[in-house]
Amino acid sequence: MIRLMVALAVMAATVFLAKYALHDDANYVVIGVGSWSLKSSLTVFISLLLVTFVPAYLLVRIVLTLWRSPRMMKTWRLARQYKDAQDALSEGLMSLAEGRWRDAENQLIHSVRQGTNPQLGYIAAARAAQSLGASQRRDDYLRVASEVKSTSSVAVGITQAQMLL
């Protein structure tokens, strides 16, 4: 928007200078189409050109913004969901460290549903469930964590062994 304002100021200054530099009306513009012709001074032609160019430019910008808006909204929505999930994971881990097991479990499962670090969320939720004495939920979380990413099942195995001890 600032660039547009600067461009408009430069164009206005150019027209102003052109008007006083070309005050003798020796310069003119002739536009002819077939048998029809239009003769105008250069100052009036430039002014009319600006008056038609600026609204046309703004109209094109508005149409392009409206055309791109669904894609931009989808990108914004996905970024917002990711941020919310990261925040829930952070809050859940903080609650786990503070010993608020029920809050931790709820926040961690919320972060997993949003799709961020599902294995970490499930392992931490299993620790919270273990602290609450909910062994069935703990086992379910560990089972799902091992299914989510089978390459790092070592972390799930170590966590399960620690909890069983």
Side-chain angles (χ1 to χ4, degrees):
M1 189 67 179
I2 291 175
R3 284 191 249 162
L4 178 62
M5 297 301 283
V6 169
L8 286 175
V10 168
M11 286 182 207
T14 304
V15 169
F16 183 74
L17 290 174
K19 181 179 183 212
Y20 287 106
L22 306 171
H23 66 281
D24 60 352
D25 268 348
N27 298 317
Y28 59 91
V29 176
V30 177
I31 299 173
V33 177
S35 64
W36 180 80
S37 68
L38 173 69
K39 182 178 176 182
S40 173
S41 69
L42 183 61
T43 306
V44 171
F45 176 74
I46 291 174
S47 299
L48 287 175
L49 191 62
L50 289 177
V51 167
T52 57
F53 174 74
V54 171
Y57 172 77
L58 291 175
L59 181 67
V60 168
R61 290 293 302 248
I62 290 170
V63 167
L64 287 176
T65 301
L66 289 174
W67 181 263
R68 293 182 195 141
S69 64
R71 190 175 339 130
M72 290 172 16
M73 286 299 293
K74 181 179 179 183
T75 302
W76 176 82
R77 186 177 45 82
L78 290 174
R80 182 70 187 167
Q81 281 179 347
Y82 180 77
K83 183 189 176 309
D84 288 345
Q86 286 296 105
D87 290 347
L89 181 64
S90 297
E91 287 291 322
L93 292 174
M94 189 60 70
S95 296
L96 185 67
E98 292 172 353
R100 295 182 291 132
W101 314 119
R102 190 163 311 283
D103 289 341
E105 184 179 0
N106 290 336
Q107 290 166 341
L108 291 165
I109 293 304
H110 175 71
S111 75
V112 168
R113 288 188 185 125
Q114 296 294 328
T116 178
N117 281 333
Q119 190 170 30
L120 178 63
Y122 279 125
I123 289 172
R127 288 192 184 277
Q130 169 75 19
S131 298
L132 287 171
S135 59
Q136 180 60 40
R137 285 198 316 257
R138 174 202 65 199
D139 294 339
D140 291 341
Y141 294 149
L142 290 174
R143 180 182 45 77
V144 173
S146 66
E147 293 171 357
V148 168
K149 193 174 181 185
S150 61
T151 58
S152 50
S153 62
V154 173
V156 175
I158 290 172
T159 303
Q160 191 170 21
Q162 287 174 345
M163 289 182 192
L164 290 177
L165 286 176

